[in-house]
Amino acid sequence: MTRAVTPTTIRPPFARYSHAVEVPAGHRLVFCSGQLGIGPDDVIPQGVEAQTRLCFGNIGHILQAAGMTLADIVRINAYVTAREHMAGYMKTRDEFTALPPPASTLMIVGGFTREEFVVEVEVIAAKAD
């Protein structure tokens, strides 16, 4: 079982995430490449929440293929193209993450390969063998 590491000796997280997640020995790790908000039909919905749902949906399919679920996520790196996308991303991310929440980083970037994309999400998942 993974363990959240959030010491009381430092400032608590700004949102629903852990400062760190410990993965004990005997766990398999899956490293997912960054997923963009695009469906299998090449449709890119407008808005950060819709794109974030697709990102986590894609991640869910990847993890399922590896014998895992979204509940096995221990680390998230996410990128949005503007500050105004942060709240919508975090709200939607929280719909897909379990407790204790994974370690997480959110960065604002200049853009992605296509200007329609406003968010990209990559994760690390861990599950006991």
Side-chain angles (χ1 to χ4, degrees):
M1 160 106 14
T2 60
R3 179 178 75 94
V5 180
T6 305
T8 58
T9 54
I10 63 175
R11 190 196 183 287
F14 287 99
R16 190 173 162 257
Y17 63 89
S18 299
H19 280 307
V21 175
E22 179 182 2
V23 177
H27 280 63
R28 291 184 304 115
L29 298 176
V30 171
F31 297 80
C32 293
S33 295
Q35 297 298 305
L36 294 161
I38 187 168
D41 55 3
D42 286 336
V43 172
I44 302 168
Q46 290 193 352
V48 70
E49 291 181 28
Q51 287 189 24
T52 300
R53 280 189 184 85
L54 268 176
C55 291
F56 278 99
N58 292 341
I59 290 166
H61 289 291
I62 293 166
L63 294 177
Q64 182 180 22
M68 296 184 180
T69 71
L70 293 170
D72 296 314
I73 294 172
V74 296
R75 173 87 177 130
I76 300 172
N77 288 330
Y79 313 91
V80 295
T81 56
R83 192 170 309 280
E84 62 264 20
H85 298 312
M86 292 174 69
Y89 162 76
M90 289 188 296
K91 174 183 158 237
T92 308
R93 171 203 63 199
D94 292 351
E95 296 172 13
F96 293 93
T97 54
L99 291 176
S104 183
T105 298
L106 175 58
M107 292 179 266
I108 299 170
V109 297
F112 301 110
T113 55
R114 291 170 52 182
E115 65 182 63
E116 305 95 87
F117 294 123
V118 297
V119 62
E120 183 171 348
V121 180
E122 62 186 34
V123 306
I124 300 172
K127 185 171 183 171
D129 273 336

